[in-house]
Amino acid sequence: MFTFGREHEKRCDSKYVRNPSQVVLLLNVIDAVHDLLEDKGSEDHLVHALRVAMTDGGAGVWENAAKWLRLSSGDYPQVLKLWPELAQHPKADVRFKVACFLDEMPRGIFAELSSQLTQDKSSKVATMANARMDERNERSRS
């Protein structure tokens, strides 16, 4: 997995976090990724950091955490288990975050979660999931 380096990624991604007190949630994700790349960390630690960022993170945190989830999943497929887990979260806001990335998920996870999220009890989640399904379908027709 390619990155521009731990400190560079921290500087760049931190700029997008709206609440300065939440920057640490994103920094933990970046550290967990780079610790793995340097053979100092574990996939479990990365999964934990991603889970916290996705569930507790506000604007700029969860979007970047999802980016790192997608980027790291090729080398560390264990992180992919977070999508189905978070798609069943009791908080609609967390399920909404998952729905936002539905179109970027691997085919199997997309198939597993698309019907679930498009029928979510939260109309906000269902609407986002339908929009992302439409986007993915448009891309596949192109």
Side-chain angles (χ1 to χ4, degrees):
M1 182 174 109
F2 174 79
T3 79
F4 289 102
R6 184 186 304 249
E7 296 309 315
H8 180 80
E9 299 288 0
K10 285 180 174 183
R11 277 191 308 276
C12 290
D13 285 3
S14 295
K15 293 177 185 178
Y16 298 101
V17 177
R18 187 173 296 159
N19 181 344
S21 70
Q22 290 199 332
V23 170
V24 68
L25 297 175
L26 183 54
L27 298 182
N28 289 341
V29 169
I30 296 168
D31 280 333
V33 167
H34 285 86
D35 287 349
L36 259 175
L37 293 172
E38 297 167 7
D39 293 324
K40 298 177 187 174
S42 70
E43 285 184 62
D44 287 338
H45 181 68
L46 175 57
V47 167
H48 175 73
L50 287 164
R51 181 184 296 114
V52 171
M54 290 294 292
T55 58
D56 299 344
V61 174
W62 65 268
E63 297 94 330
N64 278 294
K67 172 191 79 174
W68 286 107
L69 194 160
R70 290 186 332 272
L71 288 173
S72 63
S73 67
D75 293 326
Y76 308 103
Q78 182 181 341
V79 301
L80 289 172
K81 73 180 185 180
L82 276 172
W83 289 129
E85 174 189 321
L86 296 172
Q88 295 180 15
H89 198 277
K91 291 183 180 178
D93 286 346
V94 175
R95 297 191 311 274
F96 175 79
K97 294 171 185 180
V98 175
C100 288
F101 291 95
L102 185 60
D103 62 316
E104 299 179 32
M105 292 178 190
R107 185 180 314 248
I109 295 173
F110 172 81
E112 175 186 346
L113 298 182
S114 56
S115 64
Q116 173 188 337
L117 291 171
T118 57
Q119 298 174 28
D120 195 272
K121 60 188 173 189
S122 163
S123 63
K124 180 179 174 182
V125 173
T127 299
M128 178 56 73
N130 277 302
R132 293 303 187 235
M133 280 188 64
D134 290 346
E135 287 181 28
R136 187 165 177 145
N137 290 334
E138 284 294 319
R139 282 196 310 264
S140 68
R141 283 185 277 224
S142 301

